[in-house]
Amino acid sequence: MRDTGSVQSVDRAVQVLELLAREGEAGVAEVARELGVHSSTASRLITALSGHELVERLADTRRVRLGVGLLRLAGATASRLDVTTQAQPVCDGLAEELGETVNVAVLTGEAATNVCQAEGTSTVAMQNWVGQRTVLHATSSGKVLLAHLDDEERDGRLTAPLERFTEHTLTSAADLRRELQTVRETGWATAVEELETGLNAVAAPIRGHDGAVIAAISVAGPTYRLSPERLPEAAVTVARAGEAISRRMGYQPVVAQS
């Protein structure tokens, strides 16, 4: 019975925090109404939360809001969230679903570095891409990372000549800028035989808890399996995986109010 009461108290405390997150601030009466409890019970909950700095009382009113203790907890959590750890199970699932190799890459200097990989069931010869650096302008992951830089940094990276790897590689900065605009609008990027003849890929962004793009998840395969016609369909699945990893990293997308 005691354990049941303790669990109920924790549940009510979480409800208080969720109410304040949603409304910004609230009084004891509002908290009591939200929880369906007596005002004295709501007051005791607020006092307990205040003791841990999870809520704070406003000096000029009898209302409360979220406290600095939550920032301390959130900061500790964010510092421990590692994109490689959070991405691996999602990558494994995506590789099994699509049957192709999946990679997660982060921006390091002038390149994209692969930090996580999962092999698909269709893969014939396994190649370990983890730790390898790839160019930005000729890969789907690189395009995603470029597309979400601020304008000044992105333009700075497009001043140097763009190396050609195949006849399909984009070497015009103006053409690449237009494609990067499309990447931002659609939410995914493709590379059709741009880095290597016979290899296609599609990638989508991964966001951190603050909404900034911190990595890109991609799926790559030979053109006879991952054809240009199949890429838009695959992109939907890859984008969904990117969103799943983003949520694991603490990102909560803002839902538009109707």
Side-chain angles (χ1 to χ4, degrees), residues 113-245:
T113 299
N114 293 295
V115 296
C116 178
Q117 177 175 304
E119 290 292 331
T121 55
S122 299
T123 305
V124 178
M126 180 174 176
Q127 180 175 356
N128 186 8
W129 287 90
V130 175
Q132 294 196 34
R133 290 159 58 89
T134 56
V135 296
L136 298 175
H137 69 283
T139 61
S140 59
S141 291
K143 290 178 186 178
V144 166
L145 297 172
L146 275 176
H148 291 90
L149 294 174
D150 61 58
D151 293 344
E152 184 177 354
E153 184 174 0
R154 182 170 56 253
D155 288 343
R157 291 171 180 271
L158 299 181
T159 55
L162 301 176
E163 183 178 356
R164 180 178 295 281
F165 297 93
T166 73
E167 61 177 325
H168 302 288
T169 306
L170 284 178
T171 57
S172 163
D175 290 343
L176 184 57
R177 284 191 185 92
R178 282 191 289 271
E179 181 162 342
L180 296 178
Q181 177 61 37
T182 300
V183 172
R184 291 190 294 274
E185 293 170 356
T186 62
W188 47 276
T190 62
V192 179
E193 300 190 84
E194 295 176 47
L195 180 66
E196 184 180 320
T197 300
L199 181 68
N200 292 344
V202 59
I206 295 171
R207 298 180 184 275
H209 70 280
D210 59 355
V213 173
I214 58 172
I217 181 171
S218 67
V219 59
T223 55
Y224 64 86
R225 284 202 309 261
L226 197 60
S227 65
E229 294 75 23
R230 190 189 171 200
L231 288 177
E233 178 186 351
V236 174
T237 306
V238 174
R240 194 181 303 125
E243 291 166 0
I245 299 171

Side-chain angles (χ1 to χ4, degrees), residues 51-62:
H52 294 283
E53 296 184 309
L54 298 178
V55 303
E56 61 180 357
R57 300 178 187 272
L58 302 180
D60 53 344
T61 70
R62 295 174 61 84

